[in-house]
């Protein structure tokens, strides 16, 4: 496995914040407001506790970034993000007044005062905080960051790609190991626990999901492993991932307990071919929907189109699901550095399901898989 990558620097985070503020201005926004969560970690490296106390990063075009922070957390914030100007507040005072001074101190013509504006807001911001700000600045409007700046984190730099590749390699190592454990006669949640342990063994600090969907449970794409006993003759969908070095893994393979029958082999081969065609559609300038169309066409032509019931892929980075999405209607072009899943599937209610998933990054002339384990059906015991 790869070693620990060098940490991101204050200069890295400053560049990201400047890019975000610039993108906000280009989108016609007066700035962006970032609550604790993945956006704040990506922009600043600071991961505060998520509580009812207001913590808010304010980025405005042409201005220095500022962080509204509870006074009792200010020392940690200063240590984690020394490039930020802190605006602290103490219990018993009004944090929204502190934030309002940053949001509404100038308008686009440069006038000073309380003018409000239109701001992009990280999706996980608490409603009570937005309402508190609106009560202080009644002419302020908000739009979710995913709607206003959906591609803010989408294009990864070399250091981010290194982390995603390491996370993918760790997930691959977990898959190679899980193929060696016994499936027949064990409960799904027991195998899921094995998978979680393997992800941690290979360096994941966080396990987000370990789907083990056997037999008819495989027809539910987001089945949560339960106490069903896996039987010989079962198809088993394995979908698992989490965070390593702060970046995500997400891979799916479908295995069979003992020898499969002819239809099971055929369905698996169709999904494998669809996944390959989706991967082949990855290239700079292609639309996101082209990846979905390429994979879906294979399944539809084989007569299983109604059983492919989800999009072909989602972005991945500091979270395991984020823009861009490989789905019909998404015409946004692919750009080198984007990373996303390609994961077609067929789900036959009451019988079984098949899904095959790799994380793929867009290169200058095509795509590169970050998961490299074999996609042929594996036979397990």
């Amino acid at each position: 496995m790869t070693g620990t990558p060098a940490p991101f620097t204050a200069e890295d985070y400053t560049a990201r914040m400047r890019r975000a503020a610039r993108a906000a201005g280009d989108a016609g926004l007066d700035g962006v407001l970032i609550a604790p969560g993945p956006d704040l970690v990506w922009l600043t490296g600071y991961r505060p506790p998520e509580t009812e106390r207001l913590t808010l990063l304010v980025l405005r075009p042409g201005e220095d970034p500022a962080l509204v922070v509870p006074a009792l957390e200010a020392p940690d914030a200063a240590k984690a993000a020394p490039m930020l100007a802190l605006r602290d507040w103490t219990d018993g005072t009004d944090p929204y007044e502190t934030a309002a001074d940053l949001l509404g101190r100038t308008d686009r013509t440069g006038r000073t005062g309380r003018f409000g504006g239109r701001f992009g807001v990280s999706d996980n911001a608490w409603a009570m905080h937005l309402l508190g700000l609106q009560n202080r600045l009644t002419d302020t409007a908000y739009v979710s960051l995913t709607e206003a700046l959906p591609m803010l984190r989408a294009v990864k730099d070399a250091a981010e790609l290194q982390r995603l590749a390491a996370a993918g390699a760790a997930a691959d190592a977990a898959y190679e190991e899980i193929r060696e454990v016994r499936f027949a006669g064990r409960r799904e949640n027991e195998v899921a626990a094995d998978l979680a342990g393997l992800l941690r063994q290979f360096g994941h600090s966080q396990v987000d999901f370990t789907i083990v969907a056997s037999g008819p449970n495989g027809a539910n794409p987001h089945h949560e492993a339960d106490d069903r006993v896996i039987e010989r003759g079962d198809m088993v969908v394995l979908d698992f991932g989490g965070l390593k070095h702060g970046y995500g893994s997400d891979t799916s393979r479908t295995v069979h307990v003992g020898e499969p029958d002819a239809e099971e082999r055929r369905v698996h081969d169709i999904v494998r071919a669809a996944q390959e065609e989706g991967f082949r559609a990855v290239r700079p300038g292609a639309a996101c929907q082209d990846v979905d169309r390429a994979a879906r066409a294979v399944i539809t032509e084989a007569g299983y189109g109604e059983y492919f019931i989800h999009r072909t892929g989602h972005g991945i980075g500091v979270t395991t699901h984020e823009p861009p999405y490989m789905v019909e209607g998404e015409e946004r072009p692919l750009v080198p550095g984007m990373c996303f899943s390609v994961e077609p599937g067929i789900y036959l209610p009451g019988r079984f399901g098949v899904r095959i998933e790799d994380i793929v990054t867009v290169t200058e002339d095509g795509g590169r898989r970050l998961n490299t384990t074999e996609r042929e059906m594996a036979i397990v015991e």
Side-chain angles (χ1 to χ4, degrees), residues 240-264:
F240 50 96
L243 299 183
K244 178 176 180 175
H245 303 317
Y247 280 73
S249 69
D250 186 1
T251 188
S252 301
R253 294 291 186 265
T254 302
V255 302
H256 198 277
V257 186
E259 288 298 321
D261 63 29
E263 184 183 18
E264 289 170 330

Side-chain angles (χ1 to χ4, degrees), residues 19-347:
R19 176 151 59 96
R22 190 164 53 247
D26 293 343
L29 300 173
D30 292 281
V32 293
L33 311 178
I34 308 297
D39 289 317
L40 186 63
V41 174
W42 183 77
L43 285 163
T44 70
Y46 179 43
R47 191 186 300 273
E50 297 184 37
T51 72
E52 74 285 354
R53 290 187 173 95
L54 178 69
T55 296
L56 194 70
L57 175 67
V58 179
L59 302 177
R60 302 193 64 180
E63 297 189 17
D64 292 334
L67 183 72
V68 178
V69 62
L72 75 167
E73 294 167 13
D76 288 339
K79 181 178 179 180
M83 64 288 189
L84 294 176
L86 301 186
R87 302 288 187 270
D88 63 0
W89 61 275
T90 58
D91 287 349
T93 64
D94 187 347
Y96 305 113
E97 280 294 315
T98 302
D101 285 340
L102 293 171
L103 269 62
R105 63 189 179 193
T106 60
D107 69 4
R108 294 182 188 179
T109 68
R111 294 181 302 161
T112 59
R114 289 286 187 86
F115 297 103
R118 185 168 179 267
F119 293 86
V121 183
S122 53
D123 296 354
N124 59 329
W126 288 21
M128 64 178 284
H129 294 321
L130 289 185
L131 293 171
L133 288 171
Q134 276 191 321
N135 286 336
R136 305 305 182 279
L137 293 168
T138 57
D139 60 345
T140 301
Y142 305 100
V143 59
S144 76
L145 213 58
T146 291
E147 178 183 346
L149 301 175
M151 295 296 105
L152 182 61
R153 304 196 320 245
V155 178
K156 275 63 179 180
D157 61 25
E160 292 180 293
L161 289 173
Q162 178 189 10
R163 287 163 169 78
L164 283 162
D172 284 356
Y175 173 67
E176 296 290 4
E177 292 285 333
I178 203 67
R179 289 171 53 180
E180 302 304 317
V181 309
R182 184 164 185 83
F183 280 69
R186 301 181 67 209
R187 301 183 189 279
E188 290 178 344
N189 49 28
E190 292 175 331
V191 178
D194 288 345
L195 262 176
L198 287 167
L199 286 171
R200 293 190 177 95
Q201 177 183 325
F202 290 111
H204 278 62
S205 60
Q206 177 176 312
V207 176
D208 287 346
F209 49 90
T210 51
I211 293 172
V212 177
S214 63
N217 288 342
N220 175 3
H222 280 176
H223 171 70
E224 192 165 321
D226 59 25
D227 60 0
R228 181 184 187 274
V229 176
I230 302 169
E231 302 174 355
R232 288 193 66 81
D234 279 347
M235 195 86 87
V236 185
V237 178
L238 305 173
D239 184 348
F240 50 96
L243 299 183
K244 178 176 180 175
H245 303 317
Y247 280 73
S249 69
D250 186 1
T251 188
S252 301
R253 294 291 186 265
T254 302
V255 302
H256 198 277
V257 186
E259 288 298 321
D261 63 29
E263 184 183 18
E264 289 170 330
R265 281 198 179 277
R266 179 171 183 268
V267 170
H268 191 280
D269 286 346
I270 291 167
V271 174
R272 183 159 59 94
Q275 208 268 350
E276 178 65 23
E277 287 305 306
F279 170 70
R280 289 180 180 273
V282 176
R283 63 184 183 281
C288 291
Q289 68 180 3
D290 291 342
V291 179
D292 183 85
R293 287 175 174 178
R296 197 169 300 275
V298 175
I299 292 174
T300 299
E301 289 168 9
Y304 289 91
E306 66 182 293
Y307 303 111
F308 181 9
I309 56 177
H310 56 72
R311 65 196 175 202
T312 293
H314 58 82
I316 191 168
V318 292
T319 56
T320 48
H321 281 217
E322 62 185 47
Y325 299 104
M326 306 302 111
V327 66
E328 182 65 32
E330 179 52 84
E331 298 180 351
R332 196 177 310 277
L334 300 180
V335 176
M338 283 183 174
C339 293
F340 48 84
S341 65
V342 179
E343 51 176 308
I346 293 175
Y347 309 93

